[in-house]
Amino acid sequence: MSSENERPEQGPTGGAGEQLALIRETVRKAEEPRAKPRSWRAAKLASGLPVARVLVDKGLIHLDQFFDYSVPEPMDEQAQPGVRVRVRFGARVVRGRREGGELHDGFVVARLPESDYRGPLAPLAQVLSPEPVLGPELLRLCRAVADRYAGALADVVQLAVPPRHARAESRAVPQAPAPPAKPDPGSWARYATGPGFLDALATGANPRAVWTALPGPHWPDELARALAATLASGRGALAVLPDGRAVARVDAALTALLGEGHHVVLTADSGPEERYRRWLAVNRGAVRGVIGTRAAMFAPVADLGLVALWDDGDSSHAEPHAPQPHARDVLLLRATDEQAAFLLGGLSVTAEGAQLVDSRWALPLTAPREQVRAAAPLVRTVGDGDQARDAAARAARLPSLAWQVTRDALLRGPVLVQVPRRGYVPRLACERCREPARCARCAGPLELAESGALHCAWCGRPEAAWHCRECAGTRLRAQVVGARRTADELGRAFPKVPVRTSGRDAVLARVPDQPALVICTPGAEPVADGGYAAALLLDGWALLNRPDLRAGEEALRRWLTAAALVRPAAEGGTVVVLAEPGLRPVQALVRWDPAGYAVRELAERAELGFPPVSRMASVTGTAAAVSDLLENAQLPDDTDRLGPVPVPVAPPGRPRRMADPPPGERWERMLLRVPPGSGGSLATALKTAQVARMARKHFEPVRVRMDPPDIG
DNA sequence: AGCACGCCGACT
DNA sequence: GTCGGCGTGCTC
C-alpha cells in the first residue's frame, strides 16, 4: 500500500535550483552529466513503467508503507520487482530549498505506470544488484506473516531475505538436475498410511499430515523419503528442523537416497557467503530441495510441493526477532498459499498439531499399536517417595530401581542420563515439610550456588542460617542436582565406566556402542550407534513444576526425545523416569501415547479457553500507554481482557532483556483473548491501533505480541 | 525515528 | 529584536 495523501499538488515552486541537488547524485550515477531537468518528473525516465514502488528498509517501518520512486532510464531494465535498491529518504524543504535525504536500502516491490502519490517522485539512487531476492511469492508470504503477527512487513523481510554477498552473486549456479526417481517406502511401511502418503507426494498431490514418528533411528530417513518423493513429482520440497544436528541427520539420509545436487542445507554454521550462495541457488530455481533450521522456513523454493516441520514443540522454532513468527505458522501459511503438501512430524505431538487433526485440516499419520510396542523401550517410573536401600545407590542419589537398571544396562551398552538444564533447577524446599525456601528479607526464592553457598535469587543477599518458617527445620532439599554433580557422583558410583557429558556448550552428536554413562541436558542427547541400553530421566520434578501452560507437554516431549534413542524393549531397552506415576505426562510416556496425550491436552485447553484453541495477544508498556492503545483499538466484540498484571523487573544480576521494563519504570501487561476464528481480526485491530499511535507521535512504547509464549 | 518548522515566553 | 522551549507534521 502506498500512502494516500491528499495534499494539494505541489506547484513548480523554486524552479530548477532546488531539485538540482536531489537529482545530482542520480544523474551522476546514471552517467548523464548534461541533464538539467526542472523537476524530478522531467528527468529522463523509463518509458514503460516509470514508477518503482519501494519497501524502504529503515525508518518509518512501523507505518508499514511503501514509497514510490521514479526510475531513471538507465535503471529501467534492472529495477525489476524484488531487486535491492538504494533510495534517498527523508528529504525536506529547508528554507524553501529541497535537500536530499539519507540513502537507505530497500526493495522494489512493483513497477507501475504511475504513482498515486501527489507529489514529485525522487529517483531511485542505485540498483544494488539485479538479483530479484524478494520475488512476488516471497513478498506475499512476508505480508501474510506480518499480518498474522501484527508486525511490520520490513521486519519480516529482514528475516526472510539473507544479507547480500556480492561474490556469491557473481558466481553461476549449476543447472537443476532432472527430478529423481520415486523412492521406495522404506520404513514408512510401518505406518498404515505411510506408503500412501509418499505416493500422493510423488504424484503431485498435496496431502497434509501430522506424523507421530515411531521411536528409534528411522525418522531422518523417513523424512528424507518424503522430500525425495516430492522432488520426484518435479516440485520443490522444504524441511525445517530445530537444530544443526537434526539437519545433518536428514541431510545424510537424503544424500544417501539421492546423491548430491538435489538439495541444499541452509543453516547458520555454513557462514554468510556459503549460505547466501545456497540460498541463491534455491531462489534461481537451480535446487528444489531445502533442509534447514528456522530461517529456512522462508526459503524461496520454486514450485513448492511440500513443507515439512520436525518437532514443532522445540522452542528454537520460534523466531526471537520481531514479530517472532513461529516456523509452524509460517509453514502453515505457505502450505495454504502456495498449495503445497504439509508434514508436521515429531516423536511427540503438540496441542497445535492435535488441533490440525481435530479440525480435519490434516490427517493423522501414525503407526498401529503393535509397531509402537515393537519399537518402544520399556518405561518404568520411580515416585518421589522411593528410597534407595543400597548404600552405593544412596551415594549416587539414585533410587534403587534406577541404580539396578543402570548397573545391568552398563553390561550391554551405553546408558543415557538426562538431567535438568541449569536454570531449570527448581526452588529449594524444606526437607521436612516441603515449604519453599524463601529469603528472610524479600521472600524471594533461595538458590544454591555451585560453591554450595545459599543466596536469594532476587535480592542476592547471602543466607547463612536458613530455617524453615513453617516447621523450623534447618535442612534443605535440593530436588534435583545439576549435570556436573550428577556426572561426578555417577562416575564415582561406577568407577570402571567412562562418563561422557553433552550439554549446551559442548554437544556430542554420537556416542559409540560401548558401555558408558552419557550425561546430558534435554535437547543435547547424542545418538548412540545401536541404541542406548537404558536411559535415566532425572529431571521429572524440575520439568513438571514449572508454572507454565506447557509444562506437561514439554516434559513429555523431552522424555520422548531421550527415550526414543533407547533400544526396543524386546532388546532389553529400559527407561526409568523419576516422576510421580499418576501424572498424565508420565502415563503417556509409559504407554508411549504422545498423540493421545495431545488430544487430551487440546481438549483441556479448549475447556479453559487457552491457546491454541483461543488466540491470545499481550500488550505491554506503562499503564497509560497500554490503556491508550486499547481504548483506540477496534478490538473484536468478543475480546476477553485479562489483567492488567505488573511486569516484574529484571532480577539483579541478570542482564535486562527487551521484555523487561527499563529501570525505574513500572510496566504492566494486558492479555487479550479471542475465540477461535477471531485471531486475524485481533491482530489487525492491534496493528492498526499501533500504527495510529506511532503516527500520532505518542511514542511511549507499547509492545504487542501475538501468541505470547509465556502465559502462566 | 529524526528533523525542521512555528508559535510562545525570557533574555542581551 | 532574538534565542530557544517543545508541540506538530512530514518523509515518495
Side-chain angles (χ1 to χ4, degrees):
Chain A
M1 287 141 279
S2 172
S3 66
E4 304 260 351
N5 283 351
E6 288 307 317
R7 286 191 287 112
E9 188 151 4
Q10 285 179 9
T13 52
E18 71 189 57
Q19 278 92 13
L20 202 57
L22 265 144
I23 58 165
R24 197 174 288 139
E25 166 109 8
T26 314
V27 166
R28 186 159 38 77
K29 289 234 160 68
E31 293 174 46
E32 280 188 49
R34 296 283 144 241
K36 266 196 158 189
R38 293 214 323 238
S39 77
W40 287 336
R41 282 186 186 284
K44 181 116 201 264
L45 297 177
S47 47
L49 297 169
V51 175
R53 188 152 286 176
V54 174
L55 172 69
V56 182
D57 216 17
K58 294 262 160 52
L60 289 179
I61 61 164
H62 300 290
L63 298 188
D64 232 1
Q65 282 186 160
F66 295 134
F67 292 89
D68 290 347
Y69 286 80
S70 61
V71 181
E73 205 276 325
M75 299 184 197
D76 182 27
E77 212 169 303
Q78 293 204 320
Q80 293 305 312
V83 306
R84 293 181 217 257
V85 289
R86 305 250 268 170
V87 293
R88 295 219 167 261
F89 185 77
R92 56 192 52 266
V93 180
V94 182
R95 284 189 302 279
R97 171 175 253 274
R98 280 196 84 108
E99 289 182 3
E102 301 282 297
L103 276 176
H104 284 271
D105 287 357
F107 299 89
V108 175
V109 296
R111 287 288 297 270
L112 305 165
E114 58 186 329
S115 172
D116 53 9
Y117 178 64
R118 304 288 83 190
L121 298 185
L124 295 176
Q126 190 188 350
V127 175
L128 276 172
S129 134
E131 192 87 38
V133 290
L134 182 62
E137 209 139 61
L138 186 53
L139 177 66
R140 218 176 43 238
L141 172 64
C142 291
R143 172 89 271 163
V145 171
D147 290 346
R148 169 136 190 339
Y149 283 91
L153 176 65
D155 282 337
V156 181
V157 167
Q158 196 162 17
L159 300 173
V161 180
R164 176 171 128 87
H165 204 289
R167 194 156 17 136
E169 265 178 15
S170 61
R171 293 227 237 125
V173 298
Q175 195 61 42
K182 185 192 153 201
D184 297 331
S187 52
W188 276 114
R190 300 179 300 165
Y191 300 83
T193 53
F197 186 74
L198 285 205
D199 279 342
L201 293 176
T203 53
N206 297 323
R208 299 189 288 235
V210 174
W211 165 37
T212 312
L214 287 164
H218 300 301
W219 66 262
D221 179 66
E222 286 156 4
L223 191 48
R225 281 171 201 271
L227 296 170
T230 312
L231 294 175
S233 74
R235 300 177 296 169
L238 162 66
V240 176
L241 297 107
D243 55 55
R245 288 186 313 150
V247 169
R249 290 179 72 185
V250 179
D251 175 38
L254 190 56
T255 306
L257 209 55
L258 301 181
E260 311 267 342
H262 287 281
H263 75 282
V264 289
V265 166
L266 294 180
T267 57
D269 50 47
S270 46
E273 180 182 355
E274 178 61 15
R275 189 178 195 175
Y276 188 53
R277 202 177 63 73
R278 295 177 186 180
W279 188 90
L280 282 177
V282 174
N283 193 44
R284 292 173 183 175
V287 177
R288 288 170 174 270
V290 175
I291 303 169
T293 44
R294 185 181 60 229
M297 63 188 172
F298 290 107
V301 177
D303 191 13
L304 190 63
L306 169 69
V307 287
L309 182 66
W310 177 255
D311 196 12
D312 65 315
D314 192 303
S315 62
S316 60
H317 284 309
E319 170 62 53
H321 296 109
Q324 289 143 299
H326 193 285
R328 181 182 47 235
D329 290 323
V330 173
L331 295 183
L332 273 165
L333 286 168
R334 294 192 76 166
T336 312
D337 259 34
E338 301 177 47
Q339 292 173 52
F342 179 86
L343 180 60
L344 183 64
L347 295 159
S348 56
V349 183
T350 57
E352 285 84 356
Q355 190 181 31
L356 294 176
V357 174
D358 187 64
S359 67
R360 310 285 166 98
W361 191 83
L363 288 170
L365 181 37
T366 51
R369 211 53 226 170
E370 64 267 20
Q371 290 289 350
V372 175
R373 273 196 296 273
L378 174 69
V379 179
R380 307 179 67 178
T381 62
V382 177
D384 231 9
D386 293 306
Q387 285 291 324
R389 276 171 292 150
D390 204 308
R394 265 208 302 280
R397 294 164 175 272
L398 285 182
S400 353
L401 174 68
W403 167 262
Q404 286 159 22
V405 166
T406 306
R407 193 190 51 199
D408 295 350
L410 279 173
L411 301 172
R412 293 175 289 113
V415 172
L416 181 72
V417 184
Q418 190 183 51
V419 298
R421 199 183 298 172
R422 272 187 62 143
Y424 278 90
V425 175
R427 316 253 140 121
L428 297 168
C430 171
E431 190 184 57
R432 197 162 5 149
C433 74
R434 300 284 203 96
E435 177 70 12
R438 299 203 161 276
C439 173
R441 183 166 72 190
C442 74
L446 294 184
E447 267 183 356
L448 207 51
E450 292 253 333
S451 61
L454 205 58
H455 66 266
C456 172
W458 288 357
C459 71
R461 192 182 72 99
E463 178 61 81
W466 175 84
H467 65 90
C468 176
R469 287 179 179 187
E470 287 297 307
C471 73
T474 55
R475 292 181 63 110
L476 280 169
R477 177 189 167 94
Q479 296 283 0
V480 285
V481 290
R484 187 181 301 169
R485 220 161 109 200
T486 308
D488 288 350
E489 287 165 358
L490 282 170
R492 258 181 267 124
F494 299 98
K496 296 198 188 96
V497 178
V499 178
R500 321 195 55 181
T501 59
S502 177
R504 234 181 86 76
D505 25 62
V507 177
L508 295 175
R510 316 190 73 85
V511 293
D513 188 16
Q514 285 156 15
L517 282 161
V518 181
I519 319 277
C520 65
T521 52
E525 299 88 358
V527 176
D529 301 322
Y532 288 97
L536 300 185
L537 310 177
L538 299 184
D539 55 356
W541 197 89
L543 283 174
L544 288 171
N545 274 275
R546 293 185 309 138
D548 189 313
L549 180 63
R550 297 176 181 278
E553 180 180 298
E554 179 64 5
L556 179 58
R557 190 182 72 80
R558 291 178 175 199
W559 290 335
L560 290 166
T561 304
L565 301 171
V566 177
R567 298 168 192 167
E571 296 171 33
T574 307
V575 172
V576 178
V577 55
L578 269 58
E580 286 301 332
L583 298 172
R584 263 203 358 228
V586 184
Q587 293 190 341
L589 177 68
V590 171
R591 292 197 313 273
W592 205 281
D593 183 22
Y597 177 83
V599 166
R600 293 189 58 179
E601 182 74 21
L602 181 70
E604 193 172 284
R605 299 221 200 138
E607 202 170 301
L608 297 172
F610 282 151
V613 184
S614 302
R615 290 282 306 283
M616 287 183 126
S618 70
V619 180
T620 311
T622 64
V626 169
S627 59
D628 174 69
L629 180 88
L630 293 183
E631 272 164 33
N632 291 297
Q634 304 279 312
L635 299 174
D637 291 339
D638 37 16
T639 305
D640 195 1
R641 296 161 188 242
L642 312 168
V645 294
V647 177
V649 294
R654 176 162 74 64
R656 206 189 135 241
R657 290 194 287 245
M658 279 287 278
D660 297 321
E665 260 188 55
R666 289 171 61 189
W667 278 7
E668 60 182 38
R669 178 168 89 155
M670 283 288 286
L671 280 178
L672 305 174
R673 175 167 63 183
V674 292
S678 295
S681 31
L682 177 63
T684 308
L686 289 171
K687 172 74 181 296
T688 309
Q690 182 81 307
V691 167
R693 250 182 86 75
M694 300 282 186
R696 268 190 293 135
K697 178 110 188 172
H698 271 264
F699 74 92
E700 231 183 1
V702 178
R703 225 177 287 286
V704 171
R705 172 85 151 96
M706 292 302 297
D707 307 320
D710 56 341
I711 42 175

